[in-house]
Amino acid sequence: MSEEPTVRSAESDEAARIREVARSSMTASYAMSPDEIEGIAEEEFGEEALRERVGGDEHDLLVADVDGVLAGFVVISVEGEETTIRWLHVDPERQGLGV
């Protein structure tokens, strides 16, 4: 694997992989039921939510690629001079690799 991830804006056709990374990350890191995780994954990273975020004005969705594979993502919002991280998920198999 390469040492440095490539960070770029998300593309609309990456919705399924973004949801997959979110589910895997939440399953590995959060003490939640599978139903709760699925609900959050669909509400926050479903087709409609991602369509609004990709190229939207309120949030930016950036992804990190490692060797051509979407390894993680971050959702940020910018209000004036303040930037807030809303979501940050990394594929558990790629954690610890600088994503």
Side-chain angles (χ1 to χ4, degrees), residues 64-81:
D65 286 331
V66 176
D67 293 334
V69 176
L70 193 151
F73 68 92
V74 62
V75 177
I76 61 172
S77 64
V78 179
E79 297 176 22
E81 294 184 20

Side-chain angles (χ1 to χ4, degrees), residues 1 5 7-8 15 17 19 28 35 42-43 52 56-57 59-60 66 68 74-75 77 80-82 84 86 89 91 95:
M1 281 189 208
V7 178
R8 60 176 175 73
R17 176 64 181 150
R19 275 192 308 282
D35 288 340
E42 285 304 317
E43 181 178 329
E52 291 175 11
D57 293 333
H59 296 92
D60 277 331
V66 176
V74 62
V75 177
S77 64
E81 294 184 20
E82 185 173 310
T84 303
R86 299 288 177 198
H89 289 288
D91 185 334
Q95 290 178 357

